[in-house]
Amino acid sequence: MASPIQRDTRDGVEVAGGLDRAAAILDAFDATHRELTLASLVRRCGLPRSTTHRTADRMLRLGWLDKPDDRYRIGQRLFELSGLVPLRHELREAVLPFLHDLHAAVKVAVQLGVLHGTEVLVVEKITGHRPMPMLSQVGGTIPAYCSALGRAILAWSPAEAVDTALSGALAARTPRTLTDPDAVRRELAAIPDRGWAVEREEGNIGVTCVAAPVFGPLGEVVAALSVTGPSAAVRSERAGPPVQLAAAAASRAYSSRR
């Protein structure tokens, strides 16, 4: 039997190993596909039905998947392991108190995100009693070029990171989205003097976001935190200072842990 961490070749065709198959099945799940029937899982992971069923059954026994009825979902064991990821354990734990303080001050949704290539990974989110269904879930991603979180990070990032984030086509999520890389770069250049990034209805019409960077012990940008809410309620000149103060306090707390 082939090692689960290798890929073997049979008759000139590369065959996925056990971990590759498990990864394909896990990748089938996302924020809009939290539970999948076997047929849906097969369609989304791209593996043969028999292979999908056999691999999923093994993942059920390991606790990587759960299947309370006729639908598969991510298992409890992966949730337990996710708490050991340094990003969640160190960054989230250091910043979370300041997210709570910021949410109490602004009364709208607050988020913490980190840059991952061309996207921002949402590490934490607090919405309180006001639902914001258009926001990405924790673990979800949003484009860096048209989000305040992404811009707050990119404004202090090396040129290579900015080039990566602005590579390829920049899709217009709304009529207000900046899709010209030069226009985005001009926006990034203005952020350090202001202290915070702003995204006005570029991701969702009627929603504005203001974000500020979180720095590590060497002065490197590691994340950003933001406030997001209805454009009528989130004004950058009012939301910017408390966001900047919260980010600065979070930077000190995170740096002291490192």
Side-chain angles (χ1 to χ4, degrees):
M1 178 180 295
S3 167
I5 62 171
Q6 297 176 336
R7 299 173 71 92
D8 59 42
T9 302
R10 301 171 188 169
D11 299 326
V13 178
E14 191 176 52
V15 180
L19 286 182
D20 296 295
R21 295 190 292 270
I25 287 175
L26 291 176
D27 285 344
F29 297 90
D30 60 25
T32 57
H33 299 85
R34 296 175 180 274
E35 295 187 350
L36 297 169
T37 63
L38 178 59
S40 297
L41 189 58
V42 170
R43 183 172 63 253
R44 288 182 56 79
C45 76
L47 297 173
R49 184 182 179 91
S50 60
T51 300
T52 302
H53 187 272
R54 183 172 61 253
T55 304
D57 186 62
R58 175 59 176 160
M59 295 171 73
L60 285 171
R61 295 196 298 272
L62 291 171
W64 296 4
L65 292 180
D66 190 15
K67 188 184 178 186
D69 296 307
D70 62 341
R71 294 174 180 269
Y72 295 92
R73 63 188 184 189
I74 298 298
Q76 178 72 19
R77 182 56 180 155
L78 291 185
F79 175 77
E80 294 169 352
L81 290 173
S82 70
L84 303 179
V85 176
L87 181 65
R88 291 181 59 87
H89 180 67
E90 298 177 4
L91 177 62
R92 177 185 173 277
E93 292 301 315
V95 176
L96 189 57
F98 305 99
L99 282 180
H100 282 293
D101 291 345
L102 183 60
H103 179 261
V106 298
K107 303 297 192 297
V108 294
V110 297
Q111 297 180 98
L112 172 68
V114 298
L115 186 65
H116 183 66
T118 63
E119 298 181 312
V120 172
L121 173 67
V122 178
V123 178
E124 187 57 84
K125 178 180 71 170
I126 303 172
T127 59
H129 297 293
R130 176 178 291 180
M132 296 287 290
M134 73 290 295
L135 296 183
S136 293
Q137 300 297 316
V138 173
T141 58
I142 52 179
Y145 70 92
C146 64
S147 64
L149 283 170
R151 290 175 182 173
I153 299 172
L154 291 174
W156 279 270
S157 293
E160 310 84 67
V162 177
D163 292 340
T164 297
L166 301 183
S167 63
L170 306 184
R173 302 185 67 184
T174 77
R176 297 175 179 264
T177 307
L178 293 181
T179 58
D180 179 2
D182 290 335
V184 177
R185 290 179 188 276
R186 287 193 294 270
E187 179 66 22
L188 295 179
I191 293 172
D193 286 340
R194 188 169 59 224
W196 59 81
V198 182
E199 173 261 300
R200 300 180 181 88
E201 304 188 0
E202 295 186 49
N204 297 278
I205 290 296
V207 176
T208 291
C209 183
V210 179
V214 175
F215 296 101
L218 300 179
E220 76 284 14
V221 63
V222 295
L225 53 81
S226 68
V227 299
T228 304
S231 295
V234 178
R235 303 290 185 181
S236 61
E237 64 275 9
R238 294 183 60 184
V243 172
Q244 188 178 23
L245 286 173
S251 296
R252 292 191 293 270
Y254 178 65
S255 295
S256 68
R257 291 192 175 205
R258 302 293 293 174

